[in-house]
Structure formats: C-alpha cells, structure tokens
Amino acid sequence: MKKSFIYIFSAFCFSCGINSCSFLDENPVDRLVVDNFYTSEKDAQAAVDATYQQLNSLYNRLMYMMAELPTDMMKNGLGMPNANLQDLEFLRFNSQNTFIKDMWKNCYSGISRANTAIAKIPEIKMNESKKNRLIAEARTLRALYYFNLVRFFGDVPLILKTVEDSKGPRDSKELIYDQIIEDLTFAEEHLPLRSEYSASDEGRINKGAAKILFGKVYLTKGDFQKAKDKLAEVVEHESEYGFGLHKDYHANWLRDTEAGIEAVLYIEYKEPPFQHNGEMALAGPKYSIPGSLGISALNEADIPTQELYDQFDNRDLRKKTNFKTEFAHLKTGEILKSSIPLSGKFWVEGLETGDRCDVNMHIIRYADAILMYAEALNEVGKSTKALAMLNRIRERAFGDDSGNFKPMSKDEFRTAILNERRLEFPHEGHRWFDLVRTGTFIQRMKEHSAYEAKVAEANKTEIAQNIKEHMILMPIPQSEIDLNPNLVQNAGY
C-alpha cells in the first residue's frame, strides 16, 4: 500500500509536515554536516533517512540503464536521441559517458551520507538498541553502494571518513568486499525482523533483507558455499523473515501488493506532488502505434529488445506483465496495437499523463533470493534441492508444473538459471551483473548482436564489432581522474 508518510524506500520527511512536502525537495546533506546537529534520536534518524534518499538517484532509472542497455534486455526507442544512452546500447561507451559518471558520483554521495550517519550517531544519547539499528541500516546502505561500485568498476577508493577524500587512490576489490562483508555482518546482528518494525517504519531495511544482500555478495564473489548458507537462513525460514512469493507475478507492480511479501529492498513512490516514478512516460507508446492514446508525456524511449520478447513461452504468465503490445485509448477505449513489443511493468491504466506513475521500483525481490539460492545449491552439488527452487519460480510463472524443468547436469542448470533470471527480472537492473559474474557477457552479446540484426535492426551488427574483453568493467569517469591524479583508468579505456 502507498503510505502517506513514505516517500523513498521508506525514508521519512524530517523537516516538514509529513503530508505537506517530501524530503526529496530538501537538501538534507547541507543540514547534516553541521557538527552540532547530532543531538537527538530524531537527528540520528534524519541522517539515516538522508542515506536512503540517495537510492532514488540510482534506482529510479540509472541502474537499469547501466545494467540492461549494454545487454540483451533493453534498447533505446525512437524517443531517446541521447548519444550517451545510444553508446551504452551499442557498446561504444567511454570514460566521458555521463551515465557512467552519474553512477560513480551517486554511489559515493550515498557512501558519504552513510559515513556521516555511522560516525555521528554513536555520539548521540539515545536508546542503544535503536542506535544500533540505525547504524545497521546505514551500514547496509553503505554496503549496497560499494557493492554497486565494485561490480561496475572493480578497484575503487575505499572511503570510510565523514568527509570524502577525493584524492585517494583505488583500493583493491578484495578490500572493498572485506568492508562490505564487515558492514553486513554488523547489520544482520543488529537489524530487527520485518515483523518487529512498527507500522510507521514499514519498508526500512530488516534482518532478512540484509542477509539476502549478503547472499548476493557471496554469489558475486563466487563463494557458493557461503552464498548457499546465507541464503538458506532466509529461504528455509521465509515465514519467520516475512518473505514469500506472490501467487501472481504482476502483484509486484500493483498498488495494494507491491510492498508485500516479495518486496525485499525497494523504492516507494507516490503520485505527484510527491516523488513519483516517471517510467510509464519513458516506456509508453508514441511512435509504434497508429495515432494518439489521449495520454500526454509518452516518449517511447526505454523498450525491450526483440530477442527478450521472443524468449518468452506464450504460456508464461510473466509475458503479459513484462510486455504490452495493445493499448486502450483513454477516452474512447479503442485498442491501438503497437508494431513492436513495449515494456509493461510500469504501465498504469487510466492515467491522463504518463509522468504520474507511482509504481514502486524493486531493488531486490524475494524471487531473486530463491533463484540465487538455487544457483548456489547447484554449484555445491545439491542438485535436487536446486531444481526444486528453480521450479518454484517456474510454477508461479506458468500457473502449474507444465513449465517445470527436469533433472539436468550442472552445466545445463547454469544455463537454465541464467536464462530464468533474464525472464524473471526485465527492467529491474540485474542482467549486466549476471552476465559478467558468470563469465558469459562477451559471448552472449555477440549472439545477441547477430539475433537482433537478423530479426529487428540490421545495424545491431555493430554490437559484435564493438565488444571487447575489457568491457566486463566500466571505465572510471574521466572527470574523476581529472580531479584525482591518484586514480588509474581501467585497462582498455
């Protein structure tokens, strides 16, 4: 449900009445850097809420642009002339790309806010349990921001001070992962269960969410035993942790259920004048339909690839959520058919303007935990249990066991789970990470290039021509190197 006091990922308005304005219109960092600000529990929560706020700059759109445009999941529509986005799609991006720069900058901004909270909250006289909980929330967020940086860029500066030192050298990714693990270890010890939060705190990071993120970290590192053990703590006791699967996949994007049992980490949106999700406007039809829908602010900028659409079995119930090819005119009800498949997760019927969409953005859904658990189980030789986990997702997708997989080899399972993640998570910002961590990015994109060139756009052959082995990391933004002479560019850029 949309709560009147929740704006972004359950971060709260701390400088004005809860129904009068959103803190997204404020500049909390300017306030929070003042040393004498940190005197009360309210100040402590404000510092953590400012750290939550930074999620919007990453997950509103930037994350799926960075993690899906350079893959087989997404492409630019006719409504997107931005050269930097075109470069991401065709794998010709470089260190000047503004979206890559924004990823670096916004992650470090979140880290800076987290560092401030972690440093200042211990000085405040308040309930110790609440104090440790707030620090644990900030440390989980810091871990998430560093996790994004280390996956995109590899070695990055490890900054743990209140004031960011922009002149620091790059630290090894192993050191970054050590800090992420330290932060999440503290977090899982001090965070409450989801059920232990009050209604006013619904949506804040809980113990189960931290453990699932921890499992994702271990899986990315290739430590499958630790990933299996950590994810088992939640998946094998999901009711205790307050998680589960919706019976209907589409429920994850409906107002009354989007923050339900499958929501692990997410950004909460509301209709304007509060912070809203503008993705319906970016994904909605404009050029591919014969005429207007009577809905303003539709751009047809962010669209799925033809190959992604073609991967779906017509029996797969996820297909109708992930794609739309028919749209009803707002006034007349006339059905207009699109010449290409368009994204459907963020389409809301009845809105007069596309930029008023209030559908939540998921950072991690519980389905991710189940599929990661299945992957880790397969890698440690627990094939029967792994298959059961994978088929749990398949049964939800098909409505019965008709889409279930039969027993298969370990290598066949790896292929199946990677493809299942593609079908489960369109428009959710996971694909680039999945392809890179499994060592399949280069070959998959060559195959995608050939497929798209054959069935959709002949110029997609350029993808195969442009892809290079070093593209398993993004370039360090040139603007950061210009500011910090100790930074060294990733090889190949």
Side-chain angles (χ1 to χ4, degrees):
M1 294 178 64
K2 300 291 181 184
K3 301 267 192 286
S4 62
F5 46 80
I6 297 179
Y7 298 100
I8 287 294
F9 197 77
S10 295
F12 303 94
C13 214
F14 53 81
S15 63
C16 57
I18 58 178
N19 289 315
S20 62
C21 65
S22 165
F23 74 68
L24 290 171
D25 299 322
E26 305 293 328
N27 193 351
V29 174
D30 292 345
R31 257 177 253 128
L32 299 179
V33 295
V34 181
D35 286 342
N36 62 9
F37 180 88
Y38 299 93
T39 59
S40 69
E41 181 177 315
K42 181 180 178 182
D43 300 337
Q45 182 159 311
V48 177
D49 292 348
T51 309
Y52 276 110
Q53 180 197 0
Q54 191 63 21
L55 291 170
N56 183 55
S57 68
L58 292 172
Y59 290 95
N60 180 276
R61 185 169 184 244
L62 180 60
M63 181 58 73
Y64 68 80
M65 290 288 97
M66 288 279 289
E68 294 197 14
L69 258 184
T71 75
D72 52 1
M73 298 282 272
M74 183 178 287
K75 59 186 177 182
N76 293 292
L78 293 176
M80 181 44 65
N82 187 299
N84 289 284
L85 290 177
Q86 297 287 345
D87 288 345
L88 284 173
E89 178 187 351
F90 284 90
L91 300 183
R92 54 182 179 235
F93 53 82
N94 57 35
S95 62
Q96 304 284 354
N97 191 282
T98 58
F99 292 88
I100 295 173
K101 178 185 72 174
D102 287 344
M103 178 57 67
W104 177 285
K105 176 182 176 182
N106 290 334
C107 283
Y108 272 114
S109 180
I111 288 165
S112 180
R113 295 181 186 201
N115 287 344
T116 298
I118 293 164
K120 295 298 184 179
I121 290 175
E123 303 170 1
I124 299 173
K125 292 182 179 180
M126 58 181 290
N127 176 274
E128 284 298 313
S129 178
K130 179 70 174 292
K131 177 186 290 188
N132 283 329
R133 192 207 87 190
L134 289 172
I135 294 171
E137 291 179 55
R139 292 188 72 164
T140 305
L141 290 167
R142 182 169 70 180
L144 177 61
Y145 293 134
Y146 266 122
F147 189 40
N148 289 335
L149 284 169
V150 76
R151 289 185 294 170
F152 275 125
F153 301 104
D155 300 346
V156 295
L158 179 61
I159 301 168
L160 302 176
K161 298 178 181 179
T162 303
V163 178
E164 181 173 325
D165 180 4
S166 62
K167 301 300 181 183
R170 297 174 69 180
D171 293 290
S172 71
K173 65 180 182 181
E174 289 78 14
L175 190 63
I176 304 300
Y177 274 117
D178 286 346
Q179 184 60 51
I180 291 170
I181 290 169
E182 181 181 325
D183 281 343
L184 292 176
T185 300
F186 179 92
E188 65 177 352
E189 178 181 352
H190 294 286
L191 287 169
L193 294 170
R194 187 177 193 175
S195 61
E196 294 172 338
Y197 276 113
S198 66
S200 62
D201 283 332
E202 181 182 348
R204 302 186 80 93
I205 295 172
N206 57 64
K207 187 185 296 289
K211 286 180 180 292
I212 291 170
L213 177 58
F214 214 157
K216 184 179 278 286
V217 169
Y218 280 134
L219 193 72
T220 301
K221 283 172 56 64
D223 194 333
F224 300 112
Q225 184 63 50
K226 287 184 178 179
K228 188 272 289 184
D229 292 344
K230 186 58 63 180
L231 291 164
E233 293 177 21
V234 180
V235 178
E236 298 295 342
H237 307 278
E238 63 184 32
S239 61
E240 176 186 343
Y241 284 93
F243 295 122
L245 290 181
H246 289 298
K247 183 178 180 180
D248 179 9
Y249 176 78
H250 190 61
N252 289 295
W253 297 274
L254 296 177
R255 172 175 288 194
D256 290 338
T257 49
E258 60 186 357
I261 59 173
E262 202 165 334
V264 176
L265 299 177
Y266 62 95
I267 304 179
E268 181 82 26
Y269 290 110
K270 292 170 63 68
E271 289 188 32
F274 304 110
Q275 184 65 29
H276 57 283
N277 170 6
E279 187 53 27
M280 176 177 164
L282 291 162
K286 183 176 183 179
Y287 303 99
S288 63
I289 56 173
S292 169
L293 289 175
I295 301 171
S296 63
L298 298 180
N299 298 295
E300 199 170 309
D302 303 343
I303 62 177
T305 64
Q306 185 65 43
E307 186 183 22
L308 175 62
Y309 180 78
D310 292 346
Q311 293 304 302
F312 278 81
D313 189 309
N314 286 331
R315 299 172 299 155
D316 191 332
L317 302 175
R318 294 172 295 193
K319 189 173 186 178
K320 66 180 181 181
T321 294
N322 286 314
F323 309 103
K324 278 189 72 67
T325 56
E326 295 184 347
F327 298 85
H329 191 280
L330 181 66
K331 303 297 184 183
T332 68
E334 178 188 2
I335 300 299
L336 301 179
K337 294 186 177 182
S338 172
S339 59
I340 56 174
L342 300 175
S343 296
K345 279 179 177 172
F346 302 101
W347 185 264
V348 180
E349 298 291 350
L351 291 186
E352 295 182 355
T353 177
D355 59 8
R356 296 185 65 88
C357 172
D358 66 346
V359 178
N360 288 355
M361 284 284 188
H362 290 284
I363 298 171
I364 300 177
R365 284 194 289 114
Y366 187 61
D368 194 3
I370 293 173
L371 288 174
M372 289 192 295
Y373 187 38
E375 183 176 344
L377 284 165
N378 178 64
E379 294 297 336
V380 300
K382 304 292 185 180
S383 58
T384 301
K385 185 74 171 180
L387 184 63
M389 289 293 118
L390 174 55
N391 281 337
R392 186 178 174 191
I393 299 298
R394 297 286 288 182
E395 287 179 14
R396 197 258 297 267
F398 284 78
D400 54 33
D401 63 2
S402 63
N404 282 14
F405 287 107
K406 304 298 182 184
M408 61 188 102
S409 70
K410 180 178 283 191
D411 284 343
E412 289 171 336
F413 194 96
R414 287 173 179 146
T415 300
I417 201 79
L418 184 59
N419 190 57
E420 197 65 30
R421 291 183 63 82
R422 173 164 56 160
L423 301 175
E424 180 70 21
F425 301 120
H427 222 133
E428 296 184 52
H430 296 290
R431 185 62 169 171
W432 190 83
F433 300 125
D434 286 342
L435 291 174
V436 169
R437 70 177 175 79
T438 56
T440 58
F441 176 64
I442 304 297
Q443 183 59 36
R444 175 81 279 274
M445 290 309 294
K446 290 179 180 178
E447 295 166 353
H448 171 65
S449 175
Y451 187 96
E452 287 288 301
K454 180 179 179 180
V455 305
E457 302 168 63
N459 64 343
K460 285 303 181 73
T461 55
E462 185 182 337
I463 292 175
Q465 296 166 6
N466 292 339
I467 195 165
K468 303 292 188 297
E469 295 293 330
H470 66 264
M471 289 182 173
I472 57 172
L473 289 176
M474 294 289 179
I476 305 299
Q478 186 60 46
S479 58
E480 297 299 324
I481 294 176
D482 292 342
L483 291 170
N484 181 1
N486 290 315
L487 289 180
V488 177
Q489 183 58 268
N490 278 326
Y493 291 106

